[in-house]
Amino acid sequence: MSGNKEEEDPRINGIKTKIRVVPDFPKKGIMFQDITTVLLDPKAFKDTIDLFVERYRDKNISVVAGIEARGFIFGPPIALAIGAKFVPLRKPKKLPGETIFEEYELEYGNDRLEMHIGAVEAGDRALVVDDLIATGGTLCAAINLLERVGEEVVECACVIELPELKGRQRLKGKPLCMLVEYR
Amino acid sequence: MSGNKEEEDPRINGIKTKIRVVPDFPKKGIMFQDITTVLLDPKAFKDTIDLFVERYRDKNISVVAGIEARGFIFGPPIALAIGAKFVPLRKPKKLPGETIFEEYELEYGNDRLEMHIGAVEAGDRALVVDDLIATGGTLCAAINLLERVGAEVVECACVIELPDLKGRQRLKGKPLCMLVEYR
């Protein structure tokens, strides 16, 4: 399965209309996709979670990994609904205890994503969640972290995709499920 | 109501046993209360959310405000279950669009908490959520932000309280509900 938009589900349009596009944030030329306005509409927020839960509930997902910080908003409700563990993937130095990290590229320089050692076990089936996929660099780092400890990454789930940035091609062959495209 | 631990509910002990204490993080002498191990136990995580939902579902809460970043893990599931808006309260420069901020003290220097203008309306009844209350400085900043836009802060909800730090006294008279104390 190559991962498709939940086509024609009537809830999708309701979610799309709630996303606020903020021009020139964080810098000139970027049209920032603000999902906080979705969270202000209880129905739209619930629909977002329900669409993912309906897709994943029968797929034996044992781990939902959410990318800091907006992946922490969407990942836990999905995990709770499907009975999976939730694992936060964080910026450096936030997680206590032993961690492993993956570097990924930014426009200028690199950043790191960290995960606790021992959080997930080899053989877990994992879903990676973030609010948006742009270049795919962060999601790729997340996939790497999970695979390094023996997880099978089943899919990546994002509310929004920026398809022109081709992030979908950077997911090590893993499928992407998204709800809304922005071109 | 001055806000009480959910006394004697059998689920509390299950949650408490899942919290991992990490010594000397982020620096020597601090016994860090790590809730990520609660999130690895679907029942303990669900029980945590359920305890708060049961408390708040009939209180006409219209807004759940979660403090970045661990408040983003607990706040949204509560908001979804009680049909409230979720509003993220964030570190500086993360929120796009127009924001207001409150400063609060750290051990050395200050930090700021930001909220979107227009997210919360006068008359909203708000719940503030974070994983833990220590000195209460961040929660106090959150209360201030919400009150400045005319919301009524009904209560603060935290999984863990460090009562020796007396944070409960810094909540501008607002009640605190917590599940687990650590002395």
Side-chain angles (χ1 to χ4, degrees):
Chain A
M1 173 175 55
S2 69
N4 288 317
K5 190 163 86 166
E6 299 301 314
E7 287 170 332
E8 301 168 19
D9 189 295
R11 291 170 288 182
I12 298 269
N13 196 58
I15 295 162
K16 186 182 175 94
T17 58
K18 291 292 176 178
I19 297 166
R20 176 172 71 151
V21 180
V22 181
D24 300 323
F25 183 89
K27 58 180 201 185
K28 216 160 167 47
I30 298 202
M31 301 295 280
F32 188 88
Q33 305 291 312
D34 182 17
I35 49 83
T36 66
T37 38
V38 177
L39 312 178
L40 294 180
D41 180 332
K43 180 184 187 312
F45 187 16
K46 180 181 188 304
D47 286 347
T48 303
I49 300 303
D50 286 350
L51 282 159
F52 288 123
V53 169
E54 288 161 19
R55 182 179 180 83
Y56 296 116
R57 65 164 30 120
D58 298 322
K59 291 194 164 47
N60 281 325
I61 305 288
S62 50
V63 171
V64 173
I67 297 178
E68 174 167 15
R70 290 182 289 262
F72 289 7
I73 296 174
F74 296 99
I78 296 168
L80 285 160
I82 66 176
K85 299 186 269 196
F86 178 73
V87 172
L89 305 182
R90 300 209 64 174
K91 304 286 188 190
K93 301 192 171 62
K94 303 290 186 72
L95 290 170
E98 280 193 284
T99 57
I100 56 172
F101 70 86
E102 275 284 323
E103 284 205 343
Y104 60 98
E105 281 186 17
L106 300 173
E107 190 178 8
Y108 301 108
N110 290 343
D111 203 347
R112 288 184 173 184
L113 203 59
E114 290 187 351
M115 182 173 78
H116 269 141
I117 286 172
V120 296
E121 293 151 3
D124 270 327
R125 284 169 54 80
L127 176 69
V128 184
V129 175
D130 207 355
D131 65 320
L132 179 145
I133 174 172
T135 62
T138 321
L139 282 166
C140 183
I143 294 166
N144 283 335
L145 278 171
L146 291 159
E147 290 190 331
R148 276 167 59 187
V149 297
E151 298 288 273
E152 176 194 350
V153 177
V154 174
E155 196 157 276
C156 296
C158 301
V159 181
I160 302 165
E161 178 184 14
L162 307 181
E164 289 159 1
L165 296 179
K166 300 184 171 21
R168 195 184 276 262
Q169 298 172 11
R170 291 198 185 85
L171 303 181
K172 305 185 70 178
K174 303 303 180 185
L176 171 74
C177 171
M178 59 82 198
L179 304 183
V180 174
E181 275 186 0
Y182 183 83
R183 295 183 177 274
Chain B
M1 174 176 52
S2 68
N4 287 318
K5 188 163 85 166
E6 299 301 315
E7 288 170 331
E8 302 167 18
D9 188 295
R11 291 170 287 182
I12 297 269
N13 196 57
I15 296 162
K16 186 181 175 93
T17 58
K18 290 292 176 179
I19 296 167
R20 176 172 72 151
V21 180
V22 181
D24 300 324
F25 183 88
K27 58 179 201 186
K28 217 161 167 47
I30 299 201
M31 302 294 281
F32 188 89
Q33 305 291 311
D34 181 18
I35 50 83
T36 65
T37 38
V38 176
L39 311 177
L40 294 180
D41 181 332
K43 179 183 188 313
F45 188 16
K46 180 182 190 302
D47 286 346
T48 304
I49 300 302
D50 286 350
L51 282 160
F52 289 123
V53 169
E54 288 161 20
R55 183 180 180 83
Y56 296 116
R57 64 164 30 119
D58 297 323
K59 291 193 163 51
N60 282 325
I61 304 287
S62 53
V63 172
V64 174
I67 297 178
E68 174 166 14
R70 290 182 288 262
F72 289 8
I73 295 174
F74 297 99
I78 297 169
L80 284 160
I82 66 176
K85 302 186 275 197
F86 178 73
V87 172
L89 304 182
R90 298 209 67 174
K91 305 285 189 190
K93 300 191 170 65
K94 303 290 187 71
L95 291 170
E98 281 194 284
T99 57
I100 55 173
F101 70 86
E102 274 284 322
E103 284 204 345
Y104 60 98
E105 282 187 19
L106 300 173
E107 190 177 8
Y108 301 108
N110 290 343
D111 203 347
R112 289 183 174 184
L113 203 60
E114 291 188 350
M115 181 173 77
H116 268 142
I117 288 172
V120 174
E121 291 156 359
D124 265 326
R125 284 171 53 81
L127 175 69
V128 184
V129 175
D130 207 354
D131 65 321
L132 178 145
I133 174 172
T135 62
T138 322
L139 282 166
C140 183
I143 294 167
N144 283 335
L145 280 171
L146 291 159
E147 291 191 329
R148 275 167 61 187
V149 297
E152 175 195 352
V153 177
V154 173
E155 197 157 276
C156 296
C158 301
V159 180
I160 303 165
E161 178 184 15
L162 307 182
D164 296 341
L165 297 179
K166 301 185 172 17
R168 195 183 275 261
Q169 298 172 13
R170 292 198 185 84
L171 303 181
K172 305 185 71 178
K174 303 303 179 184
L176 171 75
C177 171
M178 59 80 197
L179 304 183
V180 174
E181 275 185 0
Y182 185 82
R183 295 181 177 277

